[in-house]
Amino acid sequence: MSSRLYDWFDRRLNLRPVQRTLLDEPIPGGASWIYVFGSVTLFLFLMQAATGMFLALYYAPTPDHAYDSIQFIERDVLFGWFVRGLHHWGASAMVIAIGLHMLQTFLYGAYKSPREVMWMMGVVLFLIVMTFAFTGYLLPWDQTAYWATQVGINMVGTVPLVGDLLSRVLRGGETLGALTLSRFFATHVLFLPAVLIGGIALHLFILRRVGPAGPWTDDRASLSSETFAPRQVYMDAVVIAGVFLAVAILAVSVPLPLTDKANPSDTSFVPVPEWYFLFYYELLKYVHGPLEPLATWILPLCVILIMFFWPFIDRNPVRNPIRRPVALASGLLFLLVVFGLLGISIKNLYAVPRTDPAVARGKAVYAQFGCAGCHRIHGEGGAVAPDLTTVGYTRPDRAWHLKHFPDPQSVMPGSFMPKFPLTDAQLNDLTSYMLSLTRATSS
Ligand code: HEC
């Protein structure tokens, strides 16, 4: 701003103290590229708010119209597809940005005294962001949205004593329907933004009271100091511009998934969740029966509580990560488990090469024996038997299929699927085809 204009306003509004508070905040040790993730997260939140407002102009939160209104946004609204793309990829970017922000805080020991409350507020903000993701996922009201949300709510239902009540509160009744959709919509666009804005304000207020943590050195006295402007502002702006560009490129080049319109009676649909919930989806596959509550709520609750109270669990005042082997090892172990599960999940989703000739032969066997009379794949076929669109993902076990086709009742008691007298070659090819069906979207 030209200095004369600035002076004109400053004489009337007394701006200099405001400028000092906003831009002259001292950073111990000086500006750094590693401190940008908080600002990036804040920027992405503002982008989500702006794109969300425009989407709300056209979106209709009812089961009759939600799906059509999304299609309308995609096809008819000027730049509607682009705004929806920004909002979709922006959500993923926000999860990554907040994850990196927490990782940096963890690595630098920046959660230690006197910044415990800022960390705890941060964990709350992270949980609010994940709730944004969960509630937003239902809004397109397609098959994936509907059945993934069903799975999520069922998991809440496994919590003892209050589970039933909680899942009914989430659904607004006994079944997932119109009330659930308006409830998720109102939460997504009214309740959560209000809570998140309050939380961000508090997070930043605390930051300004205690000041940024700076580097992890013990010798704080010898640290030089640098104001937030101009270098840190510049670094933040550069990374924000890069992130926006990446999100915009994704929005332009990757078509967004939209499966069939939600069909509450098609219980055979197997949903695949967003990538940031995939590690958890993978974990759920390993626990069954009496162990199920362990994965559905005990483990998540423990992880959240440990995260929340972490500054009081790790009481070692040293901040240099090399001299905090236990904290560093626990952090690494946590990341290893999460990314290990995510990796396995992605590997299962994309495993079988689609050019495998056995898969093509198996597809022919599938057609020859009229499997489509009962089963559906990518929306084609009957609906009396389970949808097989992602059967290779939900049943990755080759031996199971080899046993199943000649005698379905031997592995699925009570199944009315007929026995199929297949040759060994046909059996193998058909199984290869089944195992190749791992993707919710056809390509
Ligand atoms: C008459 C209807 C019918 C036909 C025809 C039929 N199935 Fe099935 N199939 C079923 C039913 C019903 C089940 C599920 C039984 C259950 O859930 O207990 C099933 C289960 C399956 C499953 C396991 C799905 C899961 O839940 O993981 C696979 C895989 C499968 N069928 C493949 C095939 C293939 C391949 C063919 C053609 C060779 C075929 N089916 C023909 C009715 C049929």
Side-chain angles (χ1 to χ4, degrees), residues 83-96:
V83 174
R84 178 167 176 245
L86 286 180
H87 199 72
H88 177 91
W89 296 111
S92 285
M94 201 164 165
V95 173
I96 296 175

Side-chain angles (χ1 to χ4, degrees), residues 365-366 369-371 373-375 384-386 388 391 394-395 400-401 404-405 412-418 420 422 430 434:
V365 176
Y366 183 85
F369 283 89
C371 313
C374 296
H375 291 284
V384 295
L388 298 179
V391 72
T394 51
R395 284 198 194 280
W400 188 91
H401 291 277
H404 177 237
F405 295 127
M412 298 189 101
S415 168
F416 63 79
M417 175 161 146
F420 284 93
L422 303 162
L430 189 59
M434 290 292 114

